[in-house]
Amino acid sequence: MKPQPAVETKKIATGGVSTFSLANYRTLAGVGTEGAGADIKIADINKNGIPDILFMAIDNANGENSFRYKFLMDVSTNGVPTTVTNTKIKMNGMNENDGAAAALGDIDRNGTLDLVLMGYDDPAGPNNFRYFIGWNLNSNGDPVSWSGPIQVAGCGDAGVDAGMALADVDKNGTLDLVLMAIDPGNPSDPYAPYHGRYKIGFNLSTTGIASSWPATYKIFPGSGTFANGGSLDVSNLRNDSRLYFVVSYYDDPSGDNNFRTNIVKMDILGNPISDPENYYAETWPGVGALAQGAGVAIGDIDRNGTKDFIQMAYDNPVGDNTFRYYFQFNIQLPLGAPYYSFLSCTCN
């Protein structure tokens, strides 16, 4: 295959899915030819005040699967990196995955970011979440050491992708871990609606163990009939006292896919607030017709104090996979409207 530039911009027609008629997307070389889930997150890895972007996918090899990931370092206000790291590999001990996710946060509270990589394991019977913590990332995104696998009961017997976020949901100064699986509902019925099923582990210890996990899962708003992927992120989008959970599904209708993004304000127990002014949903153009995972990330890429989104799908063409993504800058949550918008986008 012809070598790809580190980051490339392409265009696709959209067929009237949203308010713009043509979407640009950027590409980043993938990490294999077959994936089993993917994710994206934003953080300042090298502590210089400039955002970095993590891209991760599970490589679905014959035998043991692996997390494979890389960072776009020191991105410009338009999301263009100064450098791209080499691909990093973490074996995960799982042979079948129904999704993957990543998160970044200071779990051991020493002032240095830690990396959490999660695979949604698919053994015979119920699925489970398995995550590993890479402790104390250096300026190139390499951890000093890795934890062993930490397992949490899943949300069903099947999945099409998974999501994860670190946030102080209950506002007590200690990080909590949100785990989500996109469940296909009825795996034998391709037209059964899917949903994001999630659990929150509250008050992570400095070794990454939650003080408690609920016995049952909760369900995020929004669904579709089939998905190729999806993920979630958590942030304060209105500079008020509550967090918003952003859940993006990569919906797979006939023809080109699309991102179905749901934004919901949560209480300190992780329950959606029922007020309709605190729930937003919108559909945005996808970046192809087939993917093996997708992700959404929240951060301030253009450094103006207003949050931006990145929508990403792990595209699965013939040959090597690619990360395809675009930025939505300056997210707007209008009061009294059921949709969200943005002021500019690299999709234009």
Side-chain angles (χ1 to χ4, degrees):
M1 174 175 282
K2 180 181 175 183
Q4 294 180 313
V7 175
E8 185 178 9
T9 299
K10 296 178 181 280
K11 293 184 177 181
I12 58 169
T14 66
V17 175
S18 74
T19 56
F20 45 80
S21 59
L22 188 71
N24 292 338
Y25 63 85
R26 297 178 185 175
T27 68
L28 178 69
V31 291
T33 58
E34 290 295 325
D39 206 0
I40 184 171
K41 289 292 185 291
I42 302 167
D44 181 12
I45 301 298
N46 54 8
K47 303 181 183 179
N48 66 352
I50 301 174
D52 311 304
I53 305 173
L54 165 69
F55 288 81
M56 183 278 295
I58 281 187
D59 186 58
N60 190 19
N62 292 325
E64 184 180 358
N65 290 357
S66 61
F67 299 108
R68 299 191 177 193
Y69 61 101
K70 62 181 80 175
F71 293 92
L72 304 190
M73 302 300 295
D74 297 339
V75 299
S76 71
T77 55
N78 196 40
V80 177
T82 301
T83 59
V84 180
T85 69
N86 63 310
T87 298
K88 306 168 192 297
I89 298 175
K90 167 62 179 167
M91 304 306 292
N92 66 23
M94 294 173 269
N95 294 327
E96 293 292 335
N97 288 106
D98 282 344
L104 291 151
D106 184 11
I107 294 173
D108 55 6
R109 306 164 210 165
N110 68 350
T112 300
L113 285 176
D114 309 306
L115 170 64
V116 187
L117 299 178
M118 181 268 285
Y120 195 46
D121 191 39
D122 181 26
N127 285 12
N128 54 72
F129 300 101
R130 281 193 191 179
Y131 63 94
F132 299 78
I133 302 172
W135 298 107
N136 302 316
L137 298 184
N138 67 15
S139 61
N140 195 49
D142 299 304
V144 171
S145 62
W146 285 97
S147 74
I150 301 168
Q151 183 166 306
V152 177
C155 300
D157 294 349
V160 295
D161 206 355
M164 177 169 60
L166 286 165
D168 183 10
V169 177
D170 56 6
K171 301 293 183 183
N172 69 349
T174 302
L175 285 176
D176 310 307
L177 182 62
V178 186
L179 298 176
M180 179 189 76
I182 301 176
D183 193 273
N186 181 358
S188 64
D189 179 4
Y191 299 102
Y194 60 78
H195 295 280
R197 299 178 175 181
Y198 70 101
K199 295 180 172 182
I200 301 177
F202 286 98
N203 302 319
L204 292 184
S205 70
T206 55
T207 60
I209 306 297
S211 64
S212 63
W213 286 96
T216 59
Y217 58 81
K218 300 175 183 178
I219 296 178
F220 282 118
S223 68
T225 55
F226 190 71
N228 281 164
S231 189
L232 70 89
D233 207 352
V234 178
S235 186
N236 185 328
L237 297 180
R238 272 207 182 123
N239 296 319
D240 57 16
S241 61
R242 293 283 186 235
L243 292 173
Y244 288 83
F245 285 35
V246 179
V247 181
S248 191
Y249 306 108
Y250 197 51
D251 196 54
D252 183 27
S254 176
D256 287 339
N257 289 8
N258 54 72
F259 295 101
R260 295 191 175 189
T261 304
N262 299 268
I263 303 174
V264 59
K265 200 173 189 179
M266 309 296 276
D267 67 21
I268 62 172
L269 298 178
N271 300 305
I273 296 175
S274 59
D275 184 345
E277 289 189 355
N278 295 311
Y279 174 69
Y280 302 85
E282 189 58 274
T283 298
W284 305 110
V287 291
L290 180 64
Q292 293 181 327
V296 64
I298 308 170
D300 186 8
I301 296 294
D302 56 6
R303 279 90 96 180
N304 69 349
T306 302
K307 294 297 193 297
D308 312 308
F309 290 175
I310 309 176
Q311 305 278 6
M312 181 276 292
Y314 193 48
D315 194 59
N316 180 228
V318 176
D320 292 340
N321 285 9
T322 57
F323 296 102
R324 296 183 175 187
Y325 62 102
Y326 56 77
F327 296 84
Q328 297 173 324
F329 291 107
N330 302 307
I331 298 302
Q332 307 292 302
L333 302 181
L335 290 172
Y339 56 85
Y340 80 92
S341 62
F342 47 83
L343 296 186
S344 64
C345 183
T346 59
C347 46
N348 291 334

